[in-house]
Amino acid sequence: MADALDVTAAGTDPAAPRPQPRDCADLFWSFTWLALQGFGGVLAVVQRELVEKKRWMTNDEFVEDWAVAQIMPGPNVVNLSIMIGERYLGWRGAVAALAGMLTFPLILVLAVAVVYAQFASQPAVAGALRGMGAVAAGLIAGMGLKLSSTLRKHPLGLVMCVGLVALTVIAMAVLRWPLFWTLPSVGLLACVLTWRKIAP
């Protein structure tokens, strides 16, 4: 009984070593599994797998890395996979994570594209794809709500963070600014405000 309690305590001890990828193969298959689950959007799957299941990073770290991945050119989740792979296993880890994220999904997408070309004109297929669009929007909204818990610990405070969120929504949904302009403008404002808050 005492041994069981010790094991349980060790598993919840915040000072215990954080789990991390064993090797490049672990990175490759982990990101392959992430990519193959990501129908309609990989973000929600990546957060659940990397933060909640594998515990390779905290929720705060995930939000910070995702912000960096968004402002870099290229697909956000691909950028994130490269960053995580490099962090743990250097350039080999970055290559392994990238290969895992792209290899099998690329094969699958090519196969689906061939099949889709044969049936794209059928109304039932077009209707089904529109339905998947609603699911993708729900995944993104749910992911946003889940990550919003990190705003309580942000240096700017919850009210200011909500204001920046509202400003971003207005810029994109009301003013219809492209992401290319929204990120540098609102993102730069957020960076300056945060820097002024935490600067000595």
Side-chain angles (χ1 to χ4, degrees):
M1 182 67 177
D3 292 340
L5 291 174
D6 290 343
V7 170
T8 303
T12 58
D13 183 5
R18 179 187 299 178
Q20 57 183 351
R22 296 184 300 275
D23 49 30
C24 288
D26 188 15
L27 273 171
F28 175 84
W29 290 112
S30 294
F31 278 97
T32 295
W33 176 240
L34 291 178
L36 291 177
Q37 292 180 79
F39 292 95
V42 184
L43 174 59
V45 178
V46 170
Q47 191 274 343
R48 184 178 69 243
E49 291 289 329
L50 297 183
V51 175
E52 298 175 9
K53 290 188 176 180
K54 292 185 177 297
R55 295 188 291 118
W56 288 353
M57 57 199 317
T58 65
N59 214 31
D60 289 343
E61 290 170 340
F62 178 81
V63 171
E64 291 171 5
D65 285 359
W66 185 253
V68 174
Q70 280 192 308
I71 63 174
M72 294 169 62
N76 301 338
V77 74
V78 171
N79 295 340
L80 183 67
S81 69
I82 294 171
M83 292 164 58
I84 294 173
E86 195 280 333
R87 176 177 302 153
Y88 285 111
L89 295 170
W91 69 267
R92 291 181 178 83
V95 171
L98 177 63
M101 185 59 70
L102 297 180
T103 303
F104 284 97
L106 177 61
I107 295 171
L108 183 60
V109 166
L110 289 175
V112 170
V114 171
V115 174
Y116 177 71
Q118 306 298 319
F119 301 100
S121 59
Q122 296 188 9
V125 174
L129 292 178
R130 290 192 189 98
M132 285 303 296
V135 173
L139 283 172
I140 294 172
M143 191 70 248
L145 289 174
K146 184 180 289 187
L147 295 180
S148 65
S149 62
T150 63
L151 299 181
R152 297 192 189 102
K153 296 180 284 186
H154 195 278
L156 290 178
L158 183 59
V159 174
M160 182 67 75
C161 287
V162 170
L164 289 169
V165 169
L167 193 59
T168 305
V169 171
I170 291 170
M172 297 193 69
V174 179
L175 303 178
R176 298 191 178 279
W177 287 5
L179 188 61
F180 180 80
W181 294 112
T182 305
L183 272 176
S185 55
V186 183
L188 181 61
L189 174 63
C191 288
V192 170
L193 291 174
T194 305
W195 178 79
R196 291 183 61 184
K197 189 75 173 180
I198 65 178

